Amino acid sequence: MSEETPQPGPGTRLPIISGWSAYPGYNHFWYRDAASNAEQLKTYDTLQRPNGYFFALPNGFEKRLDNAQQSVAILCHTNHDTTLNNRPCANITGVRRIQINVLTGTSPLEGEWITEVKDSIPPDIEERVTQTRNVFSRWVDSQVISAGTRSRIEAESNPVNFSHDLCNALSHSLSENIVAQSMQTADVGARLALVCEWMETQIAQDPAKSLTRHFERLEIPPDVRSKLNMELSLLELSTTSSADRERLLTYLQFAAALPWGDHAELPNTSLADACVALSREHAGLDNAKKMVIDQLAMLLWWKQLSSQAQQEARPAQPPLRNMLLVGPPGTGKTTFLNSLAVALDRRVEIISCGGISDMVALNGLERGYIGARVGAIMDAVVRTKTVSFVLGFDEIDKMGQNYRGDPYSVLIEVTDPVRNTQFVDRYLQFPFDLSQVLIVATANTLDPIPSALRDRFDIIELRGYSLQEKQQMTRAYILPRLYKALALSAKQVSITKAALTCVIEEYTYESGVRGLTRTLLTLLQRVLADLLTDPQRKRIGASQVREYLGTPFVLHNQAPLAGAPGYSTILAIAGETGIGTVSGMQVSLLKAGTGKCLFSGFDDNVVKESVQIALSYSRLHAEELAVDASIFSTHDIHIHCDEIASRKKGPSAGVAILLAIVSALREIALPEKWAATGELALDGRILVVGGIAEKLVAAHRAGISCVLIPSGNRVNIADIPEDVVAHLKIIPVATIGEALARTLLCEARVTHEKNRGPLIL
């Protein structure tokens, strides 16, 4: 550009600077240093501006135009350069609106003056200004805007200046597209309508107003609605800079997400489909499956009655029965929750309770504290968006308690059929009905669970799997899943029955199948390494299993199936895992003693009490047992358990201990391959015990052929696997006399016939 450039007018070519929302009559101080200006504005000092004039376009708008395309720009003038706050700046004024040709082929970009564009005022401008002022008043209440700017806009009476000031005040919030449209629009009414529509959209997105409309549509109880209305009032009074605004907004949004008025959903399934769903992933668990089918039958009956009844006479949903699955690890308790939910046609949410010692994790923390949050129970309700779902509490026996409260008390409240209709989360601080939620919990043992909580569940005890059941589950469920995961087929790798037996007995001595799954995965992965070099089909037998897996993992003391006098075999339940165990017990007489009783291998006072009962019974009934009573004062008795320091669950060793004592005193060995379970009373009665199925499965696994059980546990034989019953001789006995007759007395007769000596009973 030459310095003889004439005054601006039609045909004048001026440089274009983008990035400033300029308007006619608007003065602006523009900092010229690179630190404060946008990337497009840094060329300001390098441009020759004839007589200080230039064209201004919205930021990036020139990139949308072709060469010589007409556009509307603002003619601007640099009044003077100055320094402000020790920074160089320029005073710029928007002069008028000009229609130009944009010359994109020049550098820097230039525009050619075509004609001046006047602002046009429509006839209904007063009505549009009034409407825009009203919308602006509603929008600005919840926005951060200076008081001076707001007052200037509200006091402006000229429609043209009002439209310019409004666009300028909102330029920091408006999108680039709206800024460009407002600069290009010469119609004042259209300009106001454009900004007014944007403010209406922002108002519609205002959280306080949208939440108010949302709550109006929900079926919220009156007492809860009054509390939420109070919180909404606080939100409306807060500003975006308020510290409590985000906390109020989070609280109200969570309350709005709850399924208010969401009545119980009817199951869309059948009993036959439910049976298929329950059997698809799990073998056994018959009691649990029957309970699920019972629940579904009740819900389907209610569905049928509801469809026949009129709307006002619709019967209420029958109460659901909470279930507690108790059993050893790996027996499918947690995965059964998913199958249960599919069978009932419900969603499932599982809360892992292991390690929870603070009730805040379940029922939330009040908003007055730092880190306030909703509890896991109500969080599950929000995720499912319904109250007809299955809520699982996994491993509730692993929870603890501390000074912050007892989490078991929260479970007691949520499982109580009366109190759960008004369950109160500490964060929300209002009642919510959870009576339609089906609660299913899992545990390895019942001991840590308070009796008040156990009373609120239908307890379903799951036993461990026998060898035959594990083989069936491996063929039907485990191997197909592993083959699919590894992209294998039975044509490439086949595993024989002997190989499965080897894996089960030598590498995974457990009640469940979790370790079996891991071991089979390891086996198949090592077979894959051979397939890479030799793609021939692999047939895996027992010897190949040992080659691939190496030394057997299961290194434990096997209980002798036959022993010397004084040795007996005890069936018990491990206190930590609930797995059935087989332990040997040895009773020895120490001469030149004073009648003391020595213990070793015991880590449980309950077993010691069983020993004391057995010793007392032996002294009281020494004559009936054909035992010399003087031995108790001339000899010490040492009783040792093979599994040292292995804690047992509950009293169940009294019968085996007494038989071992009598065997030692009579010097008669007990029969081979036998074991006993049951507790003893001082009058000779044999008391019922728990875990019969687990104990007999463990006995079968250990090679026992004959087991004595209390006669009161005869009903538990129905829960024992068929292959275990087929290989075990189960003898129910009601008194210690019957137990002696089945063991020591018959053995004494055999010894007498061999030695042909006198038989003293």
Side-chain angles (χ1 to χ4, degrees), residues 583-604:
S583 302
M585 177 169 288
Q586 181 71 43
V587 177
S588 299
L589 297 178
L590 304 179
K591 296 182 179 181
T594 59
K596 293 187 299 183
C597 184
L598 306 177
F599 301 100
S600 60
F602 295 99
D603 190 37
D604 195 341

mmCIF file of all heavy atoms in Angstrom, residues 583-604:
data_model
loop_
_atom_site.group_PDB
_atom_site.id
_atom_site.type_symbol
_atom_site.label_atom_id
_atom_site.label_comp_id
_atom_site.label_asym_id
_atom_site.label_seq_id
_atom_site.Cartn_x
_atom_site.Cartn_y
_atom_site.Cartn_z
ATOM 1 N N SER A 583 -8.931 -85.703 59.391
ATOM 2 C CA SER A 583 -7.771 -85.575 60.279
ATOM 3 C C SER A 583 -7.636 -86.829 61.129
ATOM 4 O O SER A 583 -8.639 -87.426 61.558
ATOM 5 C CB SER A 583 -7.911 -84.348 61.196
ATOM 6 O OG SER A 583 -8.050 -83.171 60.438
ATOM 7 N N GLY A 584 -6.402 -87.235 61.337
ATOM 8 C CA GLY A 584 -6.143 -88.358 62.221
ATOM 9 C C GLY A 584 -5.895 -87.891 63.644
ATOM 10 O O GLY A 584 -5.364 -86.804 63.876
ATOM 11 N N MET A 585 -6.298 -88.739 64.646
ATOM 12 C CA MET A 585 -6.075 -88.409 66.056
ATOM 13 C C MET A 585 -5.500 -89.635 66.757
ATOM 14 O O MET A 585 -5.994 -90.753 66.591
ATOM 15 C CB MET A 585 -7.382 -87.979 66.716
ATOM 16 C CG MET A 585 -7.226 -87.698 68.215
ATOM 17 S SD MET A 585 -8.678 -86.907 68.896
ATOM 18 C CE MET A 585 -8.533 -85.286 68.196
ATOM 19 N N GLN A 586 -4.453 -89.412 67.542
ATOM 20 C CA GLN A 586 -3.745 -90.498 68.209
ATOM 21 C C GLN A 586 -3.819 -90.295 69.720
ATOM 22 O O GLN A 586 -3.535 -89.199 70.219
ATOM 23 C CB GLN A 586 -2.282 -90.544 67.766
ATOM 24 C CG GLN A 586 -1.485 -91.661 68.388
ATOM 25 C CD GLN A 586 -1.889 -93.024 67.836
ATOM 26 O OE1 GLN A 586 -2.089 -93.172 66.654
ATOM 27 N NE2 GLN A 586 -2.020 -94.012 68.705
ATOM 28 N N VAL A 587 -4.219 -91.361 70.447
ATOM 29 C CA VAL A 587 -4.271 -91.337 71.910
ATOM 30 C C VAL A 587 -3.229 -92.333 72.437
ATOM 31 O O VAL A 587 -3.232 -93.506 72.044
ATOM 32 C CB VAL A 587 -5.668 -91.700 72.435
ATOM 33 C CG1 VAL A 587 -5.669 -91.728 73.968
ATOM 34 C CG2 VAL A 587 -6.698 -90.720 71.913
ATOM 35 N N SER A 588 -2.340 -91.866 73.297
ATOM 36 C CA SER A 588 -1.288 -92.726 73.850
ATOM 37 C C SER A 588 -1.310 -92.634 75.370
ATOM 38 O O SER A 588 -1.613 -91.574 75.939
ATOM 39 C CB SER A 588 0.094 -92.304 73.330
ATOM 40 O OG SER A 588 0.149 -92.425 71.925
ATOM 41 N N LEU A 589 -0.950 -93.749 76.033
ATOM 42 C CA LEU A 589 -0.859 -93.802 77.487
ATOM 43 C C LEU A 589 0.600 -93.660 77.898
ATOM 44 O O LEU A 589 1.484 -94.357 77.367
ATOM 45 C CB LEU A 589 -1.417 -95.122 78.018
ATOM 46 C CG LEU A 589 -2.910 -95.377 77.744
ATOM 47 C CD1 LEU A 589 -3.310 -96.751 78.277
ATOM 48 C CD2 LEU A 589 -3.758 -94.311 78.388
ATOM 49 N N LEU A 590 0.847 -92.774 78.824
ATOM 50 C CA LEU A 590 2.195 -92.572 79.356
ATOM 51 C C LEU A 590 2.249 -93.157 80.761
ATOM 52 O O LEU A 590 1.513 -92.739 81.655
ATOM 53 C CB LEU A 590 2.539 -91.077 79.383
ATOM 54 C CG LEU A 590 2.420 -90.344 78.046
ATOM 55 C CD1 LEU A 590 2.777 -88.876 78.236
ATOM 56 C CD2 LEU A 590 3.312 -90.975 76.995
ATOM 57 N N LYS A 591 3.122 -94.138 80.965
ATOM 58 C CA LYS A 591 3.200 -94.807 82.253
ATOM 59 C C LYS A 591 3.812 -93.900 83.315
ATOM 60 O O LYS A 591 4.458 -92.913 83.002
ATOM 61 C CB LYS A 591 4.018 -96.092 82.129
ATOM 62 C CG LYS A 591 3.370 -97.130 81.222
ATOM 63 C CD LYS A 591 4.202 -98.403 81.165
ATOM 64 C CE LYS A 591 3.543 -99.443 80.269
ATOM 65 N NZ LYS A 591 4.327 -100.691 80.214
ATOM 66 N N ALA A 592 3.625 -94.302 84.583
ATOM 67 C CA ALA A 592 4.150 -93.576 85.751
ATOM 68 C C ALA A 592 3.690 -92.133 85.730
ATOM 69 O O ALA A 592 4.445 -91.213 86.017
ATOM 70 C CB ALA A 592 5.672 -93.668 85.799
ATOM 71 N N GLY A 593 2.412 -91.980 85.400
ATOM 72 C CA GLY A 593 1.859 -90.644 85.384
ATOM 73 C C GLY A 593 0.936 -90.420 86.565
ATOM 74 O O GLY A 593 0.846 -91.236 87.491
ATOM 75 N N THR A 594 0.262 -89.298 86.542
ATOM 76 C CA THR A 594 -0.651 -88.942 87.635
ATOM 77 C C THR A 594 -2.062 -88.683 87.131
ATOM 78 O O THR A 594 -2.879 -88.082 87.825
ATOM 79 C CB THR A 594 -0.139 -87.695 88.353
ATOM 80 O OG1 THR A 594 -0.041 -86.616 87.413
ATOM 81 C CG2 THR A 594 1.216 -87.954 88.987
ATOM 82 N N GLY A 595 -2.362 -89.091 85.892
ATOM 83 C CA GLY A 595 -3.707 -88.887 85.363
ATOM 84 C C GLY A 595 -3.875 -87.581 84.607
ATOM 85 O O GLY A 595 -5.013 -87.175 84.333
ATOM 86 N N LYS A 596 -2.772 -86.920 84.295
ATOM 87 C CA LYS A 596 -2.889 -85.674 83.537
ATOM 88 C C LYS A 596 -3.233 -85.979 82.078
ATOM 89 O O LYS A 596 -2.941 -87.052 81.570
ATOM 90 C CB LYS A 596 -1.593 -84.877 83.615
ATOM 91 C CG LYS A 596 -1.261 -84.350 84.989
ATOM 92 C CD LYS A 596 -0.058 -83.429 84.934
ATOM 93 C CE LYS A 596 1.160 -84.161 84.433
ATOM 94 N NZ LYS A 596 2.383 -83.290 84.443
ATOM 95 N N CYS A 597 -3.829 -84.973 81.427
ATOM 96 C CA CYS A 597 -4.163 -85.094 80.001
ATOM 97 C C CYS A 597 -3.359 -84.046 79.241
ATOM 98 O O CYS A 597 -3.444 -82.846 79.539
ATOM 99 C CB CYS A 597 -5.654 -84.904 79.770
ATOM 100 S SG CYS A 597 -6.146 -85.163 78.046
ATOM 101 N N LEU A 598 -2.550 -84.508 78.299
ATOM 102 C CA LEU A 598 -1.714 -83.624 77.500
ATOM 103 C C LEU A 598 -2.322 -83.461 76.108
ATOM 104 O O LEU A 598 -2.814 -84.426 75.519
ATOM 105 C CB LEU A 598 -0.296 -84.194 77.382
ATOM 106 C CG LEU A 598 0.395 -84.530 78.714
ATOM 107 C CD1 LEU A 598 1.758 -85.161 78.454
ATOM 108 C CD2 LEU A 598 0.545 -83.283 79.569
ATOM 109 N N PHE A 599 -2.278 -82.228 75.596
ATOM 110 C CA PHE A 599 -2.836 -81.944 74.267
ATOM 111 C C PHE A 599 -1.718 -81.463 73.344
ATOM 112 O O PHE A 599 -0.804 -80.755 73.759
ATOM 113 C CB PHE A 599 -3.904 -80.841 74.329
ATOM 114 C CG PHE A 599 -5.055 -81.163 75.233
ATOM 115 C CD1 PHE A 599 -5.117 -80.646 76.509
ATOM 116 C CD2 PHE A 599 -6.085 -81.975 74.796
ATOM 117 C CE1 PHE A 599 -6.173 -80.921 77.341
ATOM 118 C CE2 PHE A 599 -7.156 -82.262 75.618
ATOM 119 C CZ PHE A 599 -7.207 -81.741 76.898
ATOM 120 N N SER A 600 -1.815 -81.816 72.095
ATOM 121 C CA SER A 600 -0.953 -81.239 71.066
ATOM 122 C C SER A 600 -1.703 -81.291 69.736
ATOM 123 O O SER A 600 -2.513 -82.182 69.503
ATOM 124 C CB SER A 600 0.382 -81.995 70.954
ATOM 125 O OG SER A 600 0.155 -83.350 70.611
ATOM 126 N N GLY A 601 -1.414 -80.300 68.924
ATOM 127 C CA GLY A 601 -2.081 -80.253 67.625
ATOM 128 C C GLY A 601 -3.443 -79.604 67.659
ATOM 129 O O GLY A 601 -4.156 -79.627 66.654
ATOM 130 N N PHE A 602 -3.839 -78.989 68.783
ATOM 131 C CA PHE A 602 -5.148 -78.351 68.892
ATOM 132 C C PHE A 602 -4.985 -76.837 68.901
ATOM 133 O O PHE A 602 -4.144 -76.299 69.612
ATOM 134 C CB PHE A 602 -5.861 -78.781 70.178
ATOM 135 C CG PHE A 602 -6.207 -80.246 70.215
ATOM 136 C CD1 PHE A 602 -5.405 -81.138 70.896
ATOM 137 C CD2 PHE A 602 -7.323 -80.720 69.557
ATOM 138 C CE1 PHE A 602 -5.710 -82.479 70.925
ATOM 139 C CE2 PHE A 602 -7.637 -82.068 69.589
ATOM 140 C CZ PHE A 602 -6.823 -82.954 70.270
ATOM 141 N N ASP A 603 -5.793 -76.171 68.117
ATOM 142 C CA ASP A 603 -5.794 -74.711 68.113
ATOM 143 C C ASP A 603 -7.208 -74.180 68.332
ATOM 144 O O ASP A 603 -7.547 -73.099 67.912
ATOM 145 C CB ASP A 603 -5.238 -74.190 66.783
ATOM 146 C CG ASP A 603 -4.986 -72.690 66.817
ATOM 147 O OD1 ASP A 603 -4.568 -72.193 67.869
ATOM 148 O OD2 ASP A 603 -5.245 -72.025 65.797
ATOM 149 N N ASP A 604 -8.005 -74.992 68.978
ATOM 150 C CA ASP A 604 -9.399 -74.613 69.157
ATOM 151 C C ASP A 604 -9.876 -75.151 70.504
ATOM 152 O O ASP A 604 -9.782 -76.356 70.780
ATOM 153 C CB ASP A 604 -10.250 -75.186 68.016
ATOM 154 C CG ASP A 604 -11.613 -74.530 67.943
ATOM 155 O OD1 ASP A 604 -12.023 -73.930 68.952
ATOM 156 O OD2 ASP A 604 -12.264 -74.625 66.888
#
